[in-house]
Amino acid sequence: MTLAVFFGCTFIAFGPAFGLFIFTIARDPLRIIILIAGAFFWLVSLLLSSLIWFIAVKASDPQDEQLQKGLLIFGVMFSVLLQEAFRFLYYKLLRKAIEGLVALSEDGCSPISIQQMAYVAGVGFGLMSGAFSMINLLADALGPGTVGIHGDSQLYFLTSAFMTMVLIFLHTFWGILFFHGCEHRRWWEIVAVVIMHLTVSGLSFCNPLYVGSLVPSYLLMAAAAAWAYLLSGGSAQNLRRFLLCLRSEASPQPGS
Amino acid sequence: MTELSAHLPQFQHGQLTENFPDTHLSNTNDNSERRRHDNSERRRNDNAESETNGQPQNNVQQVVEQDEEEDEELTLKYGAKHVIMLFVPVTLCMVVVVATIKSVSFYTRKDGQLIYTPFTEETETVGQRALNSILNAAIMISVIIVMTILLVVLYKYRCYKVIHGWLIISSLLLLFFFSFIYLGEVFKTYNVAMDYITVALMIWNFGVVGMICIHWKGPLRLQQAYLIMISALMALVFIKYLPEWTAWLILAVISVYDLVAVLCPKGPLRMLVETAQERNETLFPALIYSSTMIWLVNMAEEDPEAQRKSKNSSYDKQGPASRTQNEDAEADDGGFSQEWQRQRDNRIGPIESTPESRAAVQALPSNSQTSEDPEERGVKLGLGDFIFYSVLVGKASATASGDWNTTLACFVAILIGLCLTLLLLAIFKKALPALPISITFGLVFYFATDNLVQPFMDQLAFHQFYI
């Protein structure tokens, strides 16, 4: 426990997201607002799903363990669906906002594109989701205690941190995929995002069998990353050029 | 009743656009006149605890009204920048308050209540507690209403000295006494041994520099930092001395009062704003957080009232929107603007030593700076807003069972409320209360997160499920 675990888990969970924030979002005020609004939308979806779960729990027998667990699973699935629904609502709002920005701008084009908004919205969702999962754990990690002293897994904090990181990344990629699907009317992309989200959440039911939840989640994240990269205009050639630090006069700009 | 005003600078991509050099001055004059006509500031005093020193402390909130007519097209783009200019100080204030609440136990310890909330909440029945908290909230709100009306009356009858004295006493109290207590508690928490001489030196320096920065002139960042610090101190006092249910009730009622007082035609704040507009002067510049510094404009002050004020209290520093530049409405102008007269006086020498001629001399360098004036304008937010936002988030972090989740939820809710308020400001272009939307969101999210989300997240963390 104590500081080492606290800092370690904080940086594992939020380090990449923090880096993304600093380098891509913090400079532009509009993106910061979209980020916070995305976090807000995720929060509202969580609120509504907690409300439903709370009502279900209050209406049921608190002694029945299996029922409670079943209700929790139902709550998780419902929450996932609601999150995606709110992502769709946020997409609608951002579309309207783009039209407003275009109308307000002097040269008829919006200062931010829908792809950038998709990315920032994804990061917003991810950050809020990660924060809500992780912050209380981190606060507890600062204090005294022994992890898993009652027979639970000793890797609880570490795996939570890794899971949070993968979820933040996944939300980012899902944002890009989802908005792309909405933009180009490709419903199968949207359905794929929803199914991926349900899968990742469902995999977490394997916990504490972490190999069943973390490994597939990371594989899914890699797949989502590759897909989002391709959809944003990336290609194997771009990647090769980037990795070899090659210069080229006419390289396509992904996602701008 | 705190209001925001957004000043829209007339530039795009960092360059002046519509203002060509030959028409530049008139443009800025026109714009500043328009701004002046719509500017007014109002203050409201909040009464803080007085049990330790017997002096009621009054915080005054200001309302600034601003009419933006230029650059309609660029509204949203500036809106984004101004929103961030307000997000950062609000976030900083909340971070300071939450950090203090979490580490210094003094501010969560029950040490009695303010005299404005005499009814205790340690009662046997829930009904009694509810009744007591309603009474407490009613008393507090009536005190605030009375203070506001007193302020409006004082302002109407031009008792500026009384108001300035009042403000100076409150900032003295905050900067010296409350920060001394805060420092003492921080030292106690971290078990730092300290002697009185060092403390006296530190508090003296802190306080004096604070008084200078806030009431007179100082670097912008320093002034902003001081305003954030005194808002945080005030919020901590409220968090400590207001019992729970009373605090929530007061927050709710104050947002309603803010809404009513600013928007209703007979509301005290609106009357204050309109009186200030009629007189074309700014109200009390010391208790508004402003994101830019325009004190150069103050030099070009024409208003004799303002001149007297600035001579009396050196309120030169300040405010975006504060000083009205010119009134072409002066009857004996002969058709020449005061600005022109100043320039003329300056060229051919003052015939007599008048405030105008003095201002003319002062106005000279600042005339060339008026070109920067549009760029310098920013947003303003009353300190009372800072205080109540921080009270909400601080109370959430102090008393919530969901702890950090609740704090985070309230934080995001308040920021979104602020964003929406600024959006409305950009649309309606008049003084708006900044409390209602944010406090409503904050309260809703506090109670919802604490009661609904926290058990859910708790169960999820227990089973290590992820949503």
Side-chain angles (χ1 to χ4, degrees), chain A residues 29 40 43 46 50 54 72 76 101 104 106 131 135-136 156 159-160 163 201 204 207 210, chain B residues 12 73 76 80 84 402 404-405 408 412 419 445 452-453 456 460-461 463-467:
Chain A
F40 180 72
L43 196 58
L46 177 69
S50 320
F54 191 76
L72 194 63
V76 168
L101 284 172
L104 288 174
E106 301 230 325
I135 278 209
N136 276 332
Y156 183 77
T159 50
S160 299
M163 196 69 197
S201 286
S204 71
N207 285 336
Y210 296 122
Chain B
Q12 185 187 11
E73 310 90 0
L76 199 59
I84 301 305
W404 288 99
N405 281 348
L408 197 57
V412 171
C419 200
F445 274 83
L452 299 175
V453 175
F456 187 46
L460 289 179
H463 294 277
Q464 220 173 358
F465 292 168
Y466 284 88
I467 54 170

mmCIF file of all heavy atoms in Angstrom, chain A residues 29 40 43 46 50 54 72 76 101 104 106 131 135-136 156 159-160 163 201 204 207 210, chain B residues 12 73 76 80 84 402 404-405 408 412 419 445 452-453 456 460-461 463-467:
data_model
loop_
_atom_site.group_PDB
_atom_site.id
_atom_site.type_symbol
_atom_site.label_atom_id
_atom_site.label_comp_id
_atom_site.label_asym_id
_atom_site.label_seq_id
_atom_site.Cartn_x
_atom_site.Cartn_y
_atom_site.Cartn_z
ATOM 1 N N PRO A 29 -9.275 25.550 -26.170
ATOM 2 C CA PRO A 29 -10.368 25.668 -25.203
ATOM 3 C C PRO A 29 -11.611 24.924 -25.632
ATOM 4 O O PRO A 29 -12.318 24.340 -24.789
ATOM 5 C CB PRO A 29 -10.650 27.174 -25.143
ATOM 6 C CG PRO A 29 -9.643 27.838 -25.934
ATOM 7 C CD PRO A 29 -8.822 26.855 -26.655
ATOM 8 N N PHE A 40 -19.624 14.855 -18.669
ATOM 9 C CA PHE A 40 -20.941 15.109 -18.105
ATOM 10 C C PHE A 40 -21.966 14.127 -18.658
ATOM 11 O O PHE A 40 -22.792 13.580 -17.916
ATOM 12 C CB PHE A 40 -21.337 16.546 -18.417
ATOM 13 C CG PHE A 40 -22.674 16.944 -17.904
ATOM 14 C CD1 PHE A 40 -22.882 17.129 -16.558
ATOM 15 C CD2 PHE A 40 -23.741 17.127 -18.769
ATOM 16 C CE1 PHE A 40 -24.117 17.497 -16.063
ATOM 17 C CE2 PHE A 40 -24.982 17.492 -18.286
ATOM 18 C CZ PHE A 40 -25.171 17.676 -16.944
ATOM 19 N N LEU A 43 -21.577 10.840 -17.136
ATOM 20 C CA LEU A 43 -22.055 10.896 -15.763
ATOM 21 C C LEU A 43 -23.570 10.767 -15.708
ATOM 22 O O LEU A 43 -24.127 10.041 -14.869
ATOM 23 C CB LEU A 43 -21.625 12.226 -15.153
ATOM 24 C CG LEU A 43 -21.686 12.368 -13.660
ATOM 25 C CD1 LEU A 43 -20.844 11.320 -13.019
ATOM 26 C CD2 LEU A 43 -21.193 13.752 -13.284
ATOM 27 N N LEU A 46 -24.553 7.263 -16.279
ATOM 28 C CA LEU A 46 -24.310 6.459 -15.083
ATOM 29 C C LEU A 46 -25.390 6.696 -14.047
ATOM 30 O O LEU A 46 -25.875 5.755 -13.401
ATOM 31 C CB LEU A 46 -22.941 6.816 -14.493
ATOM 32 C CG LEU A 46 -22.612 6.091 -13.203
ATOM 33 C CD1 LEU A 46 -22.405 4.629 -13.477
ATOM 34 C CD2 LEU A 46 -21.372 6.676 -12.565
ATOM 35 N N SER A 50 -27.739 3.872 -12.576
ATOM 36 C CA SER A 50 -27.737 3.574 -11.137
ATOM 37 C C SER A 50 -29.128 3.676 -10.571
ATOM 38 O O SER A 50 -29.490 2.913 -9.672
ATOM 39 C CB SER A 50 -26.865 4.550 -10.358
ATOM 40 O OG SER A 50 -25.710 4.839 -11.029
ATOM 41 N N PHE A 54 -30.845 0.769 -8.608
ATOM 42 C CA PHE A 54 -31.240 1.029 -7.241
ATOM 43 C C PHE A 54 -32.695 0.639 -7.017
ATOM 44 O O PHE A 54 -33.039 -0.010 -6.021
ATOM 45 C CB PHE A 54 -31.035 2.517 -6.955
ATOM 46 C CG PHE A 54 -31.157 2.887 -5.525
ATOM 47 C CD1 PHE A 54 -30.145 2.603 -4.640
ATOM 48 C CD2 PHE A 54 -32.287 3.539 -5.045
ATOM 49 C CE1 PHE A 54 -30.242 2.954 -3.313
ATOM 50 C CE2 PHE A 54 -32.393 3.893 -3.720
ATOM 51 C CZ PHE A 54 -31.362 3.607 -2.842
ATOM 52 N N LEU A 72 -26.993 -7.091 -10.320
ATOM 53 C CA LEU A 72 -25.812 -6.291 -10.627
ATOM 54 C C LEU A 72 -25.391 -6.480 -12.080
ATOM 55 O O LEU A 72 -25.041 -5.522 -12.780
ATOM 56 C CB LEU A 72 -24.681 -6.676 -9.681
ATOM 57 C CG LEU A 72 -23.496 -5.709 -9.638
ATOM 58 C CD1 LEU A 72 -23.948 -4.370 -9.128
ATOM 59 C CD2 LEU A 72 -22.413 -6.264 -8.749
ATOM 60 N N VAL A 76 -25.090 -3.747 -14.937
ATOM 61 C CA VAL A 76 -23.915 -3.476 -15.769
ATOM 62 C C VAL A 76 -24.301 -3.424 -17.242
ATOM 63 O O VAL A 76 -23.935 -2.498 -17.977
ATOM 64 C CB VAL A 76 -22.836 -4.550 -15.524
ATOM 65 C CG1 VAL A 76 -21.756 -4.457 -16.581
ATOM 66 C CG2 VAL A 76 -22.232 -4.386 -14.155
ATOM 67 N N LEU A 101 -21.114 26.325 -35.059
ATOM 68 C CA LEU A 101 -19.771 26.870 -35.215
ATOM 69 C C LEU A 101 -19.527 27.327 -36.642
ATOM 70 O O LEU A 101 -18.883 28.349 -36.877
ATOM 71 C CB LEU A 101 -18.733 25.807 -34.833
ATOM 72 C CG LEU A 101 -18.553 25.553 -33.339
ATOM 73 C CD1 LEU A 101 -17.648 24.366 -33.120
ATOM 74 C CD2 LEU A 101 -17.968 26.768 -32.673
ATOM 75 N N LEU A 104 -21.173 30.533 -37.135
ATOM 76 C CA LEU A 104 -20.541 31.625 -36.418
ATOM 77 C C LEU A 104 -19.179 31.979 -36.968
ATOM 78 O O LEU A 104 -18.665 33.045 -36.684
ATOM 79 C CB LEU A 104 -20.377 31.249 -34.939
ATOM 80 C CG LEU A 104 -21.638 31.214 -34.093
ATOM 81 C CD1 LEU A 104 -21.322 30.689 -32.719
ATOM 82 C CD2 LEU A 104 -22.227 32.586 -33.988
ATOM 83 N N GLU A 106 -16.090 32.857 -39.601
ATOM 84 C CA GLU A 106 -16.021 33.842 -40.674
ATOM 85 C C GLU A 106 -15.791 33.215 -42.029
ATOM 86 O O GLU A 106 -16.172 33.765 -43.040
ATOM 87 C CB GLU A 106 -14.869 34.808 -40.398
ATOM 88 C CG GLU A 106 -15.028 35.519 -39.087
ATOM 89 C CD GLU A 106 -14.861 37.003 -39.258
ATOM 90 O OE1 GLU A 106 -14.047 37.395 -40.093
ATOM 91 O OE2 GLU A 106 -15.558 37.756 -38.569
ATOM 92 N N ALA A 131 -12.100 7.585 -13.983
ATOM 93 C CA ALA A 131 -12.043 8.283 -12.708
ATOM 94 C C ALA A 131 -13.029 7.677 -11.718
ATOM 95 O O ALA A 131 -12.700 7.423 -10.561
ATOM 96 C CB ALA A 131 -12.328 9.764 -12.902
ATOM 97 N N ILE A 135 -10.891 6.269 -8.619
ATOM 98 C CA ILE A 135 -10.477 7.269 -7.639
ATOM 99 C C ILE A 135 -10.651 6.812 -6.195
ATOM 100 O O ILE A 135 -9.772 7.043 -5.355
ATOM 101 C CB ILE A 135 -11.221 8.595 -7.894
ATOM 102 C CG1 ILE A 135 -10.503 9.334 -8.993
ATOM 103 C CG2 ILE A 135 -11.282 9.438 -6.660
ATOM 104 C CD1 ILE A 135 -10.604 10.799 -8.939
ATOM 105 N N ASN A 136 -11.739 6.176 -5.907
ATOM 106 C CA ASN A 136 -11.895 5.724 -4.521
ATOM 107 C C ASN A 136 -10.862 4.674 -4.164
ATOM 108 O O ASN A 136 -10.357 4.629 -3.042
ATOM 109 C CB ASN A 136 -13.307 5.171 -4.309
ATOM 110 C CG ASN A 136 -14.281 6.279 -3.997
ATOM 111 O OD1 ASN A 136 -13.902 7.298 -3.453
ATOM 112 N ND2 ASN A 136 -15.533 6.086 -4.338
ATOM 113 N N TYR A 156 -5.262 -6.848 -6.727
ATOM 114 C CA TYR A 156 -6.477 -6.071 -6.948
ATOM 115 C C TYR A 156 -6.192 -4.678 -7.490
ATOM 116 O O TYR A 156 -6.768 -4.246 -8.488
ATOM 117 C CB TYR A 156 -7.242 -5.977 -5.619
ATOM 118 C CG TYR A 156 -8.554 -5.265 -5.715
ATOM 119 C CD1 TYR A 156 -9.670 -5.899 -6.255
ATOM 120 C CD2 TYR A 156 -8.702 -3.964 -5.273
ATOM 121 C CE1 TYR A 156 -10.885 -5.256 -6.341
ATOM 122 C CE2 TYR A 156 -9.918 -3.314 -5.356
ATOM 123 C CZ TYR A 156 -11.001 -3.970 -5.880
ATOM 124 O OH TYR A 156 -12.206 -3.336 -5.967
ATOM 125 N N THR A 159 -4.511 -4.769 -11.089
ATOM 126 C CA THR A 159 -5.410 -5.135 -12.186
ATOM 127 C C THR A 159 -6.473 -4.081 -12.392
ATOM 128 O O THR A 159 -6.886 -3.819 -13.529
ATOM 129 C CB THR A 159 -6.070 -6.485 -11.924
ATOM 130 O OG1 THR A 159 -6.625 -6.468 -10.616
ATOM 131 C CG2 THR A 159 -5.070 -7.604 -12.056
ATOM 132 N N SER A 160 -6.903 -3.451 -11.307
ATOM 133 C CA SER A 160 -7.859 -2.362 -11.484
ATOM 134 C C SER A 160 -7.252 -1.248 -12.310
ATOM 135 O O SER A 160 -7.906 -0.679 -13.200
ATOM 136 C CB SER A 160 -8.295 -1.786 -10.139
ATOM 137 O OG SER A 160 -8.921 -2.752 -9.363
ATOM 138 N N MET A 163 -7.023 -2.337 -15.909
ATOM 139 C CA MET A 163 -8.345 -2.368 -16.510
ATOM 140 C C MET A 163 -8.843 -0.963 -16.800
ATOM 141 O O MET A 163 -9.450 -0.695 -17.843
ATOM 142 C CB MET A 163 -9.305 -3.068 -15.539
ATOM 143 C CG MET A 163 -10.585 -3.490 -16.166
ATOM 144 S SD MET A 163 -10.322 -4.816 -17.326
ATOM 145 C CE MET A 163 -11.825 -4.726 -18.239
ATOM 146 N N SER A 201 -17.281 -5.464 -20.811
ATOM 147 C CA SER A 201 -17.905 -5.470 -19.489
ATOM 148 C C SER A 201 -18.239 -6.884 -19.057
ATOM 149 O O SER A 201 -18.069 -7.250 -17.886
ATOM 150 C CB SER A 201 -19.182 -4.626 -19.507
ATOM 151 O OG SER A 201 -18.870 -3.273 -19.540
ATOM 152 N N SER A 204 -15.362 -8.712 -17.674
ATOM 153 C CA SER A 204 -14.960 -8.357 -16.315
ATOM 154 C C SER A 204 -15.693 -9.203 -15.285
ATOM 155 O O SER A 204 -15.310 -9.228 -14.121
ATOM 156 C CB SER A 204 -15.209 -6.872 -16.055
ATOM 157 O OG SER A 204 -16.586 -6.616 -15.953
ATOM 158 N N ASN A 207 -13.548 -11.698 -13.404
ATOM 159 C CA ASN A 207 -12.651 -11.323 -12.310
ATOM 160 C C ASN A 207 -13.021 -12.087 -11.058
ATOM 161 O O ASN A 207 -14.196 -12.251 -10.769
ATOM 162 C CB ASN A 207 -12.759 -9.828 -12.037
ATOM 163 C CG ASN A 207 -12.045 -9.030 -13.087
ATOM 164 O OD1 ASN A 207 -11.136 -9.516 -13.733
ATOM 165 N ND2 ASN A 207 -12.477 -7.814 -13.288
ATOM 166 N N TYR A 210 -8.068 -12.957 -13.779
ATOM 167 C CA TYR A 210 -7.699 -11.794 -14.577
ATOM 168 C C TYR A 210 -7.282 -12.143 -15.986
ATOM 169 O O TYR A 210 -7.413 -11.335 -16.885
ATOM 170 C CB TYR A 210 -6.582 -11.006 -13.886
ATOM 171 C CG TYR A 210 -7.040 -10.428 -12.571
ATOM 172 C CD1 TYR A 210 -6.392 -10.733 -11.393
ATOM 173 C CD2 TYR A 210 -8.153 -9.602 -12.530
ATOM 174 C CE1 TYR A 210 -6.829 -10.217 -10.188
ATOM 175 C CE2 TYR A 210 -8.602 -9.090 -11.335
ATOM 176 C CZ TYR A 210 -7.930 -9.402 -10.167
ATOM 177 O OH TYR A 210 -8.362 -8.895 -8.986
ATOM 178 N N GLN B 12 -9.608 38.608 -34.246
ATOM 179 C CA GLN B 12 -9.735 37.244 -34.693
ATOM 180 C C GLN B 12 -8.349 36.744 -35.013
ATOM 181 O O GLN B 12 -7.582 37.419 -35.659
ATOM 182 C CB GLN B 12 -10.606 37.202 -35.940
ATOM 183 C CG GLN B 12 -10.873 35.786 -36.376
ATOM 184 C CD GLN B 12 -11.568 35.767 -37.684
ATOM 185 O OE1 GLN B 12 -11.667 36.787 -38.351
ATOM 186 N NE2 GLN B 12 -12.036 34.623 -38.090
ATOM 187 N N GLU B 73 -20.298 37.077 -35.023
ATOM 188 C CA GLU B 73 -19.902 35.819 -35.635
ATOM 189 C C GLU B 73 -18.941 35.069 -34.760
ATOM 190 O O GLU B 73 -18.879 33.860 -34.818
ATOM 191 C CB GLU B 73 -19.203 36.075 -36.976
ATOM 192 C CG GLU B 73 -19.953 36.980 -37.895
ATOM 193 C CD GLU B 73 -19.561 38.426 -37.661
ATOM 194 O OE1 GLU B 73 -18.717 38.689 -36.790
ATOM 195 O OE2 GLU B 73 -20.116 39.276 -38.350
ATOM 196 N N LEU B 76 -19.010 32.243 -30.387
ATOM 197 C CA LEU B 76 -18.722 30.956 -29.767
ATOM 198 C C LEU B 76 -17.237 30.774 -29.574
ATOM 199 O O LEU B 76 -16.789 30.240 -28.569
ATOM 200 C CB LEU B 76 -19.288 29.830 -30.629
ATOM 201 C CG LEU B 76 -19.440 28.546 -29.821
ATOM 202 C CD1 LEU B 76 -20.353 28.782 -28.652
ATOM 203 C CD2 LEU B 76 -20.003 27.469 -30.703
ATOM 204 N N ALA B 80 -15.545 29.993 -26.004
ATOM 205 C CA ALA B 80 -14.735 28.866 -25.550
ATOM 206 C C ALA B 80 -13.551 29.369 -24.743
ATOM 207 O O ALA B 80 -13.257 28.873 -23.651
ATOM 208 C CB ALA B 80 -14.251 28.054 -26.752
ATOM 209 N N ILE B 84 -12.850 28.819 -20.636
ATOM 210 C CA ILE B 84 -11.642 28.268 -20.018
ATOM 211 C C ILE B 84 -11.035 29.255 -19.055
ATOM 212 O O ILE B 84 -10.530 28.879 -18.001
ATOM 213 C CB ILE B 84 -10.630 27.868 -21.107
ATOM 214 C CG1 ILE B 84 -11.248 26.850 -22.027
ATOM 215 C CG2 ILE B 84 -9.376 27.318 -20.483
ATOM 216 C CD1 ILE B 84 -11.774 25.665 -21.318
ATOM 217 N N GLY B 402 -20.035 8.809 -0.736
ATOM 218 C CA GLY B 402 -19.398 8.368 -1.963
ATOM 219 C C GLY B 402 -18.056 9.015 -2.151
ATOM 220 O O GLY B 402 -17.324 8.689 -3.068
ATOM 221 N N TRP B 404 -14.944 10.630 -3.109
ATOM 222 C CA TRP B 404 -14.344 11.264 -4.267
ATOM 223 C C TRP B 404 -15.242 11.225 -5.483
ATOM 224 O O TRP B 404 -15.214 12.140 -6.311
ATOM 225 C CB TRP B 404 -12.999 10.619 -4.585
ATOM 226 C CG TRP B 404 -11.968 10.981 -3.586
ATOM 227 C CD1 TRP B 404 -11.561 10.234 -2.532
ATOM 228 C CD2 TRP B 404 -11.237 12.209 -3.525
ATOM 229 N NE1 TRP B 404 -10.610 10.916 -1.807
ATOM 230 C CE2 TRP B 404 -10.391 12.117 -2.392
ATOM 231 C CE3 TRP B 404 -11.219 13.365 -4.296
ATOM 232 C CZ2 TRP B 404 -9.536 13.145 -2.039
ATOM 233 C CZ3 TRP B 404 -10.350 14.380 -3.940
ATOM 234 C CH2 TRP B 404 -9.521 14.262 -2.829
ATOM 235 N N ASN B 405 -16.038 10.187 -5.603
ATOM 236 C CA ASN B 405 -16.962 10.151 -6.736
ATOM 237 C C ASN B 405 -17.932 11.315 -6.680
ATOM 238 O O ASN B 405 -18.206 11.969 -7.682
ATOM 239 C CB ASN B 405 -17.758 8.841 -6.728
ATOM 240 C CG ASN B 405 -16.937 7.700 -7.275
ATOM 241 O OD1 ASN B 405 -15.894 7.924 -7.850
ATOM 242 N ND2 ASN B 405 -17.437 6.494 -7.107
ATOM 243 N N LEU B 408 -16.137 14.585 -7.478
ATOM 244 C CA LEU B 408 -15.882 14.702 -8.914
ATOM 245 C C LEU B 408 -17.164 15.018 -9.681
ATOM 246 O O LEU B 408 -17.174 15.860 -10.577
ATOM 247 C CB LEU B 408 -15.287 13.381 -9.401
ATOM 248 C CG LEU B 408 -14.593 13.387 -10.744
ATOM 249 C CD1 LEU B 408 -13.484 14.398 -10.752
ATOM 250 C CD2 LEU B 408 -14.035 12.009 -11.020
ATOM 251 N N VAL B 412 -17.778 18.368 -11.973
ATOM 252 C CA VAL B 412 -18.145 18.382 -13.395
ATOM 253 C C VAL B 412 -19.473 19.091 -13.594
ATOM 254 O O VAL B 412 -19.643 19.883 -14.527
ATOM 255 C CB VAL B 412 -18.197 16.945 -13.948
ATOM 256 C CG1 VAL B 412 -18.793 16.935 -15.334
ATOM 257 C CG2 VAL B 412 -16.816 16.350 -13.988
ATOM 258 N N CYS B 419 -20.467 26.620 -17.937
ATOM 259 C CA CYS B 419 -20.403 26.642 -19.396
ATOM 260 C C CYS B 419 -21.744 27.075 -19.980
ATOM 261 O O CYS B 419 -21.807 27.938 -20.856
ATOM 262 C CB CYS B 419 -20.056 25.229 -19.841
ATOM 263 S SG CYS B 419 -19.389 25.157 -21.468
ATOM 264 N N PHE B 445 -26.599 16.513 -8.736
ATOM 265 C CA PHE B 445 -25.584 15.482 -8.852
ATOM 266 C C PHE B 445 -25.073 15.041 -7.490
ATOM 267 O O PHE B 445 -24.724 13.881 -7.311
ATOM 268 C CB PHE B 445 -24.432 15.976 -9.737
ATOM 269 C CG PHE B 445 -24.695 15.730 -11.173
ATOM 270 C CD1 PHE B 445 -25.473 16.604 -11.908
ATOM 271 C CD2 PHE B 445 -24.213 14.606 -11.788
ATOM 272 C CE1 PHE B 445 -25.753 16.357 -13.232
ATOM 273 C CE2 PHE B 445 -24.475 14.354 -13.114
ATOM 274 C CZ PHE B 445 -25.249 15.227 -13.835
ATOM 275 N N LEU B 452 -27.476 7.204 -5.144
ATOM 276 C CA LEU B 452 -27.750 6.205 -6.166
ATOM 277 C C LEU B 452 -26.480 5.601 -6.743
ATOM 278 O O LEU B 452 -26.340 4.393 -6.851
ATOM 279 C CB LEU B 452 -28.556 6.830 -7.307
ATOM 280 C CG LEU B 452 -29.911 7.401 -6.929
ATOM 281 C CD1 LEU B 452 -30.529 8.084 -8.131
ATOM 282 C CD2 LEU B 452 -30.818 6.294 -6.443
ATOM 283 N N VAL B 453 -25.555 6.484 -7.131
ATOM 284 C CA VAL B 453 -24.390 5.988 -7.847
ATOM 285 C C VAL B 453 -23.419 5.306 -6.903
ATOM 286 O O VAL B 453 -22.810 4.301 -7.246
ATOM 287 C CB VAL B 453 -23.700 7.154 -8.591
ATOM 288 C CG1 VAL B 453 -22.428 6.697 -9.233
ATOM 289 C CG2 VAL B 453 -24.628 7.720 -9.635
ATOM 290 N N PHE B 456 -24.011 1.666 -6.229
ATOM 291 C CA PHE B 456 -23.768 0.919 -7.451
ATOM 292 C C PHE B 456 -22.274 0.743 -7.683
ATOM 293 O O PHE B 456 -21.782 -0.376 -7.900
ATOM 294 C CB PHE B 456 -24.420 1.674 -8.621
ATOM 295 C CG PHE B 456 -24.407 0.953 -9.924
ATOM 296 C CD1 PHE B 456 -24.754 -0.381 -10.014
ATOM 297 C CD2 PHE B 456 -24.077 1.618 -11.099
ATOM 298 C CE1 PHE B 456 -24.749 -1.052 -11.219
ATOM 299 C CE2 PHE B 456 -24.078 0.959 -12.311
ATOM 300 C CZ PHE B 456 -24.415 -0.373 -12.369
ATOM 301 N N LEU B 460 -19.930 -2.606 -7.712
ATOM 302 C CA LEU B 460 -19.105 -2.934 -8.872
ATOM 303 C C LEU B 460 -17.654 -3.112 -8.473
ATOM 304 O O LEU B 460 -16.975 -4.033 -8.914
ATOM 305 C CB LEU B 460 -19.208 -1.827 -9.925
ATOM 306 C CG LEU B 460 -20.518 -1.721 -10.658
ATOM 307 C CD1 LEU B 460 -20.453 -0.565 -11.636
ATOM 308 C CD2 LEU B 460 -20.816 -3.002 -11.402
ATOM 309 N N ALA B 461 -17.164 -2.219 -7.590
ATOM 310 C CA ALA B 461 -15.766 -2.322 -7.173
ATOM 311 C C ALA B 461 -15.558 -3.575 -6.350
ATOM 312 O O ALA B 461 -14.503 -4.203 -6.412
ATOM 313 C CB ALA B 461 -15.370 -1.079 -6.391
ATOM 314 N N HIS B 463 -17.056 -6.443 -6.663
ATOM 315 C CA HIS B 463 -16.938 -7.619 -7.526
ATOM 316 C C HIS B 463 -15.930 -7.421 -8.641
ATOM 317 O O HIS B 463 -15.681 -8.340 -9.411
ATOM 318 C CB HIS B 463 -18.299 -7.939 -8.160
ATOM 319 C CG HIS B 463 -19.325 -8.356 -7.165
ATOM 320 N ND1 HIS B 463 -19.428 -9.631 -6.685
ATOM 321 C CD2 HIS B 463 -20.306 -7.650 -6.562
ATOM 322 C CE1 HIS B 463 -20.431 -9.706 -5.821
ATOM 323 N NE2 HIS B 463 -20.979 -8.521 -5.735
ATOM 324 N N GLN B 464 -15.396 -6.248 -8.729
ATOM 325 C CA GLN B 464 -14.477 -5.849 -9.784
ATOM 326 C C GLN B 464 -15.108 -5.995 -11.163
ATOM 327 O O GLN B 464 -14.478 -6.491 -12.110
ATOM 328 C CB GLN B 464 -13.161 -6.628 -9.720
ATOM 329 C CG GLN B 464 -11.999 -5.734 -10.003
ATOM 330 C CD GLN B 464 -10.653 -6.409 -9.780
ATOM 331 O OE1 GLN B 464 -10.571 -7.551 -9.371
ATOM 332 N NE2 GLN B 464 -9.597 -5.687 -10.071
ATOM 333 N N PHE B 465 -16.338 -5.546 -11.262
ATOM 334 C CA PHE B 465 -16.971 -5.460 -12.564
ATOM 335 C C PHE B 465 -16.679 -4.088 -13.144
ATOM 336 O O PHE B 465 -16.467 -3.135 -12.413
ATOM 337 C CB PHE B 465 -18.494 -5.621 -12.444
ATOM 338 C CG PHE B 465 -18.924 -6.991 -12.037
ATOM 339 C CD1 PHE B 465 -20.235 -7.215 -11.651
ATOM 340 C CD2 PHE B 465 -18.060 -8.074 -12.042
ATOM 341 C CE1 PHE B 465 -20.666 -8.477 -11.271
ATOM 342 C CE2 PHE B 465 -18.473 -9.330 -11.653
ATOM 343 C CZ PHE B 465 -19.781 -9.533 -11.265
ATOM 344 N N TYR B 466 -16.697 -4.008 -14.443
ATOM 345 C CA TYR B 466 -16.447 -2.719 -15.072
ATOM 346 C C TYR B 466 -17.563 -2.391 -16.027
ATOM 347 O O TYR B 466 -18.011 -3.242 -16.779
ATOM 348 C CB TYR B 466 -15.099 -2.717 -15.804
ATOM 349 C CG TYR B 466 -13.962 -2.596 -14.850
ATOM 350 C CD1 TYR B 466 -13.412 -3.732 -14.292
ATOM 351 C CD2 TYR B 466 -13.486 -1.351 -14.455
ATOM 352 C CE1 TYR B 466 -12.397 -3.625 -13.374
ATOM 353 C CE2 TYR B 466 -12.468 -1.251 -13.540
ATOM 354 C CZ TYR B 466 -11.929 -2.390 -12.992
ATOM 355 O OH TYR B 466 -10.932 -2.286 -12.082
ATOM 356 N N ILE B 467 -17.984 -1.178 -15.996
ATOM 357 C CA ILE B 467 -19.061 -0.770 -16.896
ATOM 358 C C ILE B 467 -18.501 0.097 -18.006
ATOM 359 O O ILE B 467 -17.463 0.680 -17.876
ATOM 360 C CB ILE B 467 -20.159 0.008 -16.159
ATOM 361 C CG1 ILE B 467 -19.557 1.196 -15.405
ATOM 362 C CG2 ILE B 467 -20.898 -0.892 -15.219
ATOM 363 C CD1 ILE B 467 -20.607 2.116 -14.874
#
